Amino acid sequence: MKTTICFDFGNTRLKYGVFKNEEFIEEGVLENDLPETIELLLKKHKPQKTILSSVIKHNPEIETVLAAKTVFHKLSHLTQLNFTSAVGKPETIGADRLALAAAAVHFYPKKNNLIIALGSCITYNFINQYHQFIGGAISPGMDMRFKSMHEHTALLPHVQAEWNFPVVGYDTKTNLQSGVIAGISYEIDGFVNYYQSRYGNLNIILTGGDSMHFARQLKNKIFADAGFLFKGLYAVSEINNVKKAVAV
């Protein structure tokens, strides 16, 4: 059975996804990026291939471990992809955005794709029907908005998301929740409306840990897939690790 582990190191969590025979079977969160933590995961799943997407300064020793025990690829602007980029400086595109674009082209080819990823930041990623990554937008994520209002004011508390909030808040807590959660929902709907007005044959994917919650808040019909980035990493791994695997 062919096994691939995809690592996604973001600003808040170190996540991994396991694929067996192209089926996404498991995801989890690592406590740290120590080599011994990675080795325990490899011992458990015995993958033939691994791929790492990282937007942080992770422990470089884990790359040595992955390369020694598996056919390994690190996602970067040098990675062979299933799309091209019209961005002026492709080396500045985040590894997570590259993976999302790859997933869109792999699963929804020859369509205009808008992938909205809810993480520490919210990224809007547009790939046209000719498989060109055009760009998009980046805005503060939900937790960042809650935290910044608390840290940059004297009296506002740091509240947590509750999904049954009223749009018209009746106290400080619900006002903050409405401002952040409803505000993000209206922002997403606004971007979707803009892209829909400019591009036909538009496919919209919402991903990230809170994607299912936000999908219910939106006026537009959007396909929610929390594991979409992992699917992109798997597709990239299949492209870039095939020659290495043959060589091994």
Side-chain angles (χ1 to χ4, degrees):
M1 182 175 288
K2 183 180 69 173
T3 303
T4 300
I5 299 182
C6 304
F7 294 93
D8 171 31
F9 286 8
N11 290 300
T12 56
R13 291 184 297 176
L14 310 177
K15 298 179 290 184
Y16 69 89
V18 182
F19 289 79
K20 289 188 181 294
N21 287 351
E22 301 186 357
E23 181 182 357
F24 186 24
I25 65 162
E26 178 184 322
E27 67 176 296
V29 178
L30 300 174
E31 293 184 359
N32 54 59
D33 60 350
L34 295 175
E36 48 265 39
T37 301
I38 300 297
E39 289 181 349
L40 284 174
L41 188 65
L42 297 181
K43 184 177 180 180
K44 176 183 176 181
H45 292 286
K46 299 179 174 58
Q48 289 76 44
K49 299 179 182 180
T50 56
I51 184 170
L52 168 65
S53 167
S54 177
V55 297
I56 63 171
K57 292 183 179 180
H58 59 269
N59 188 333
E61 294 181 21
I62 66 172
E63 294 184 31
T64 303
V65 172
L66 293 172
K69 297 182 178 293
T70 69
V71 179
F72 168 67
H73 182 76
K74 180 183 177 182
L75 185 62
S76 74
H77 68 284
L78 299 176
T79 296
Q80 183 180 347
L81 299 166
N82 53 2
F83 61 91
T84 60
S85 173
V87 177
K89 294 183 178 180
E91 67 274 11
T92 64
I93 303 174
D96 53 337
R97 302 182 79 183
L98 293 176
L100 293 171
V105 171
H106 182 80
F107 291 100
Y108 305 102
K110 298 181 181 180
K111 286 189 175 183
N112 292 313
N113 285 288
L114 176 63
I115 308 98
I116 304 165
L118 302 166
S120 298
C121 289
I122 303 171
T123 64
Y124 299 83
N125 310 278
F126 180 66
I127 304 91
N128 67 21
Q129 60 188 333
Y130 307 108
H131 299 172
Q132 296 172 315
F133 179 85
I134 304 301
I138 302 174
S139 69
M142 182 176 67
D143 289 339
M144 188 181 295
R145 298 185 195 206
F146 279 127
K147 187 176 180 180
S148 65
M149 288 193 290
H150 169 62
E151 293 184 348
H152 295 285
T153 63
L155 299 176
L156 290 179
H158 184 194
V159 303
Q160 302 295 321
E162 293 179 10
W163 299 100
N164 60 345
F165 68 95
V167 174
V168 181
Y170 53 82
D171 58 12
T172 300
K173 176 182 176 181
T174 54
N175 272 266
L176 290 170
Q177 290 172 337
S178 178
V180 171
I181 301 173
I184 290 174
S185 300
Y186 296 143
E187 174 189 304
I188 292 173
D189 274 324
F191 271 111
V192 169
N193 290 338
Y194 172 81
Y195 280 94
Q196 286 178 332
S197 68
R198 290 200 61 183
Y199 303 97
N201 193 29
L202 182 65
N203 186 59
I204 307 162
I205 305 103
L206 188 68
T207 189
D210 294 319
S211 56
M212 299 301 178
H213 293 293
F214 274 102
R216 292 193 289 268
Q217 304 282 338
L218 302 176
K219 294 181 179 179
N220 290 284
K221 291 184 178 180
I222 294 177
F223 176 66
D225 185 344
F228 200 63
L229 187 144
F230 282 125
K231 294 178 180 179
L233 289 177
Y234 178 80
V236 172
S237 174
E238 289 296 285
I239 296 171
N240 288 270
N241 280 336
V242 62
K243 292 183 180 179
K244 296 179 185 178
V246 171
V248 173

